[in-house]
Amino acid sequence: QVQLVESGGGLVLAGGSLRLSCAASGSIISIDHMGWYRQAPGKQRELVAAITTGGSANYGDSVKGRFTISRDNAKNTVALQMNSLKPEDTAVYYCNVDAVLVGKYRFDDYWGQGTQVTVSS
């Protein structure tokens, strides 16, 4: 089992900043990618940012230059610093990890419960 605990969502004015954090725990042998996705009402879930164990990051086009993803491999945590927030960033943000667990022999995707980010104009 994997537990992904997210924190840091909330309500912010346009132009403001928020920082999301996600901590993974459980019977984890190894984590490959860690990342954040988001889903706005009536829209498909989309990649916000993802980062490899080595620190290589990729971002969705709409957040490039505004958001920064980071991770702590020793603590199995991933964070998303969101600056210059816009109303269109409003969505539920989900933590995602690609991990192999005790008793498993492949990497699988695991998801957090989601945290709401609302950007008001």
Side-chain angles (χ1 to χ4, degrees), residues 38 47-49 59-68 89 93:
R38 68 186 181 187
L47 172 71
V48 177
Y59 297 90
D61 288 341
S62 62
V63 307
K64 287 179 180 176
R66 300 187 297 123
F67 292 9
T68 302
D89 294 317
Y93 284 69

Side-chain angles (χ1 to χ4, degrees), residues 2-117:
V2 172
Q3 293 78 45
L4 298 178
V5 179
E6 300 150 331
S7 60
L11 173 64
V12 65
L13 291 175
S17 298
L18 283 174
R19 183 177 178 85
L20 304 182
S21 297
C22 175
S25 62
S27 305
I28 300 170
I29 295 175
S30 180
I31 297 177
D32 187 5
H33 289 76
M34 303 183 81
W36 293 91
Y37 287 72
R38 68 186 181 187
Q39 188 166 20
K43 295 188 177 181
Q44 289 189 328
R45 190 172 295 191
E46 64 175 0
L47 172 71
V48 177
I51 186 168
T52 67
T53 305
S56 178
N58 66 291
Y59 297 90
D61 288 341
S62 62
V63 307
K64 287 179 180 176
R66 300 187 297 123
F67 292 9
T68 302
I69 191 170
S70 60
R71 68 185 281 177
D72 185 326
N73 293 329
K75 297 180 179 179
N76 286 342
T77 59
V78 61
L80 184 69
Q81 178 66 41
M82 305 185 293
N83 298 328
S84 302
L85 282 160
K86 304 175 181 180
E88 50 264 43
D89 294 317
T90 296
V92 178
Y93 284 69
Y94 296 91
C95 177
N96 170 260
V97 300
D98 189 30
V100 60
L101 308 184
V102 173
K104 304 275 188 177
Y105 301 97
R106 67 181 189 193
F107 282 91
D108 286 316
D109 271 336
Y110 297 92
W111 295 89
Q113 79 284 357
T115 185
Q116 177 70 45
V117 171

